[in-house]
Amino acid sequence: MKKSLLAIAVLASFAGAASAQSSVTVFGTLDAGMTYANTGTQAPLNTANDKWSMDSGVSQASFIGFKGVEDLGGNLKAIFQLEAGIQIDNGTSSQANTLFNRASWVGLSGDFGTVTAGRQFTPLYEAVKTIDPFQLGMAGSASNLMSTGGASIVNGAIVAGNSVTNVAQNNSLRYASQSVSGLSAIVNYSFGEQAGNTNAGRDIGATVNYANGPLSLLVSYDGVKTLDDTTTLQTTLLGGVADWAQFGFPLKTSIGYAINKGSDVVGVADVDSRDLIIGLRLPMAQHEVLASFVHKDDKTTADLNAEQFALGYTYAISKRTVLYTSVSKMINKNGAAYTVGNASNTGYGVKVFDFGIRHSF
């Protein structure tokens, strides 16, 4: 009897050790906000040109996710992540016919870095998010004017990656290096999966980061091939973030400059534009003030330029719950038709005010 109890105790200890080497975590964000948008016709409030709406994912996209890790020994780990976008205002999926539309990948991590395969965010998307003080959310989202890279093939056509419902890239193989003396890199290759041509529809993205004390610098690239393998839509971004806290100023400033050329859709005219973003974040205990200026300089003969001015404020009730508000104005020139959106909405008008609550778990 004593031997049986001892055996059970030993087996229980091994089972506990084994379970401690692997884990699955449920996480996510629930974000609901009210948005007022005006088309810019100077019509008064509550006319046909004004719109009040409740949006899901104004500050950050609402989603539920699962991530797991298994320790394989020797600092080698098996990892996975699944993220399903949610429309918190009506309970539906944020993208029809796709469950884990934000992320669905599996891979290995170790001293060599991390290799993952599946549906993943583009390196350019993550780079723009880094330098945008609004982190691609609220009315000040830089994605209202700037490309976040990538594309997906839907019903035989390419859907551009700067759509808020397509910020992740299908069929992606990704490598992220360890940081060495502040230097790190991410490389992503997404298969076009077109018979007879490995270039058609494929996407290549990469970002090199350098972080040293209060200064972080990056250069990022994304290139999408058309389905007929004739042209490539390319975006190259240079940017940086400076944290002035160690000099006695509770301030973070950022700047980015992007070059966009080419086309990712057969028969659509090539783009040739430059984007400039200047931003700041002023954290003060539970409070934070955000501001940004984004300029689109169209180099084509159409000269469809635009500018966006944005101001925001957040109040952290706790570590996981935040109240937020923002206001933004888009100035289109020469017939340009850019609109102000947020983390989950492509936009309705050129003058937008929003406020809401975000809870992360």
Side-chain angles (χ1 to χ4, degrees):
M1 181 65 178
K2 291 182 178 180
K3 290 183 179 180
S4 298
L5 291 174
L6 179 61
I8 291 173
V10 172
L11 288 174
S13 66
F14 276 111
S19 62
Q21 293 176 6
S22 62
S23 64
V24 176
T25 303
V26 180
F27 69 106
T29 296
L30 300 178
D31 183 310
M34 293 292 294
T35 300
Y36 161 72
N38 180 271
T39 59
T41 58
Q42 305 303 320
L45 192 63
N46 297 324
T47 70
N49 295 309
D50 300 303
K51 179 181 178 181
W52 276 102
S53 61
M54 175 180 285
D55 285 341
S56 172
V58 173
S59 172
Q60 293 181 13
S62 297
F63 72 95
I64 183 170
F66 308 87
K67 57 184 175 182
V69 57
E70 181 187 15
D71 192 340
L72 303 175
N75 206 30
L76 183 66
K77 297 177 181 179
I79 55 176
F80 77 86
Q81 189 155 317
L82 301 169
E83 294 183 18
I86 302 169
Q87 293 293 94
I88 198 69
D89 53 336
N90 57 31
T92 62
S93 171
S94 61
Q95 186 172 342
N97 304 318
T98 306
L99 178 57
F100 296 107
N101 55 329
R102 285 175 51 85
S104 59
W105 53 258
V106 64
L108 295 171
S109 69
D111 295 333
F112 56 85
T114 303
V115 177
T116 50
R119 179 173 172 83
Q120 305 174 80
F121 292 114
T122 66
L124 181 61
Y125 167 83
E126 296 170 329
V128 176
K129 189 173 183 179
T130 297
I131 62 175
D132 179 9
F134 290 86
Q135 296 184 299
L136 298 178
M138 295 190 276
S141 174
S143 64
N144 296 329
L145 284 176
M146 299 180 68
S147 171
T148 54
S152 289
I153 299 172
V154 179
N155 298 325
I158 287 185
V159 179
N162 57 341
S163 166
V164 292
T165 60
N166 188 33
V167 295
Q169 187 74 339
N170 293 332
N171 314 312
S172 294
L173 184 62
R174 175 184 175 115
Y175 169 73
S177 74
Q178 299 276 26
S179 178
V180 179
S181 299
L183 195 65
S184 62
I186 300 172
V187 179
N188 187 88
Y189 182 87
S190 298
F191 295 85
E193 297 188 342
Q194 302 300 299
N197 191 334
T198 58
N199 283 326
R202 65 102 179 102
D203 177 57
I204 296 176
T207 297
V208 176
N209 294 283
Y210 176 71
N212 184 10
L215 185 63
S216 298
L217 302 173
L218 63 84
V219 57
S220 186
Y221 169 84
D222 189 88
V224 183
K225 271 285 188 179
T226 54
L227 289 179
D228 65 352
D229 191 22
T230 56
T231 61
T232 305
L233 175 62
Q234 302 179 80
T235 295
T236 303
L237 169 70
L238 293 90
V241 179
D243 187 346
W244 302 91
Q246 75 175 54
F247 302 107
F249 302 101
L251 178 68
K252 293 182 179 180
T253 56
S254 58
I255 187 169
Y257 184 77
I259 301 172
N260 312 290
K261 287 191 174 185
S263 174
D264 62 352
V265 180
V266 178
V268 175
D270 286 357
V271 300
D272 185 2
S273 64
R274 309 292 184 269
D275 301 326
L276 172 68
I277 176 173
I278 300 172
L280 67 84
R281 301 177 67 175
L282 182 62
M284 298 173 290
Q286 296 169 277
H287 312 270
E288 187 169 37
V289 176
L290 316 170
S292 70
F293 167 75
V294 186
H295 174 69
K296 168 74 71 174
D297 183 12
D298 184 14
K299 297 294 185 179
T300 69
T301 55
D303 200 26
L304 302 177
N305 299 331
E307 295 176 340
Q308 176 180 278
F309 298 86
L311 182 66
Y313 166 76
T314 67
Y315 176 74
I317 302 176
S318 69
K319 290 183 178 180
R320 299 190 299 170
T321 304
V322 175
L323 301 177
Y324 61 82
T325 185
S326 66
V327 61
S328 181
K329 181 178 181 179
M330 183 75 69
I331 302 175
N332 287 304
K333 301 177 180 179
N334 305 320
Y338 294 98
T339 55
V340 177
N342 53 51
S344 304
N345 191 309
T346 54
Y348 170 77
V350 294
K351 302 173 185 176
V352 172
F353 165 71
D354 58 42
F355 61 92
I357 182 172
R358 181 181 75 241
H359 177 76
S360 300
F361 59 92

